[in-house]
Amino acid sequence: MPSPAPTGAAPVPDDRKPPRKPPGKPPHARGANGRIGPGARARSRGPRARAPRPDLDDAVVLYGWHPVAEALRNGKRTIHRLLATENAARRLAEELPGIAASPQIVRPGEIDALLAPDAVHQGLYAEAEPLEGYDLDTLPDDALVLALDQITDPHNVGAIVRTAAAFGVTAILTTARHSPAATGVLAKSASGGLEHVPFVVVKNLGDALDRLGERGFLRVGLDSEGEETFESLAARRPALLVLGAEGKGLRARTRSLCDAVARLDMAGAIKSLNVSNAAAIALYALTRRL
């Protein structure tokens, strides 16, 4: 039999019992820096709005003044749901009297809950049907088309859409894969341009360029090392301007299917531009030749 512990000695700990963990901070507690934790931040926005309707899986999400206002002006766009803060609804009534859709008045936090944390919605949110556009066979004979070769950044594509609307582009050709959907961030960056320039979505870009070439489209690739300049280009309609992704540029097959590969001559030390900026300059140069 083991001898008892000496008088005054600390009791031997019982290894069968796990040590108690100190109670953690509740999600709303303030840390040492005085900031409120994520739980309180979410609750401070008020009641969360319900999620997008499950029967509208293909719905286009639009937010911000210009994307939503242009959609409301577009008689071909079907709006299923329109949320607006009191201030945004007042502005809609002043600037777009007689619109068909009636907004549901909500607090800003209810729109925040439906979007990414950094989304700037300006008090407007809409869910709408995608617009019907062209396919390869229905593009008009005098069309000016932009083709995007695996440009995946929605901010860049949105800026390109906005530029395309400014230059009267007929449609934007893109692929089902390796391209962002025409919704959300892209729509916000397009600033209403989606209402004026439809997308033609194809499975294979090379095959689409081949078919458009058979239809008589002049296919012009944009590349910093192109053999021609836009000033020397014998431009005509229908025309197709092909843009490659930043870094990779035009893929080999895409480049081989272009009738001409043109460059933008620049006098500065840097010879390349962000793809959305390059698209704007190239469209300006091409439309002057057309």
Side-chain angles (χ1 to χ4, degrees), residues 161 259 275:
V161 172
D259 303 300
V275 65

Side-chain angles (χ1 to χ4, degrees), residues 47-54 80-81 83 104 110 113-114 125 127:
R48 297 179 68 85
R50 58 186 175 86
R53 287 169 45 182
H80 290 286
R81 184 182 178 199
L83 306 182
Q104 174 189 347
E110 295 182 73
L114 297 173
Y125 170 96
E127 292 166 15

Side-chain angles (χ1 to χ4, degrees), residues 10 34 61 205:
V61 171
L205 182 61

Side-chain angles (χ1 to χ4, degrees), residues 245-259:
E246 290 192 52
K248 296 186 298 182
L250 298 174
R251 290 177 295 164
R253 188 185 178 207
T254 303
R255 188 185 181 103
S256 70
L257 288 167
C258 292
D259 303 300

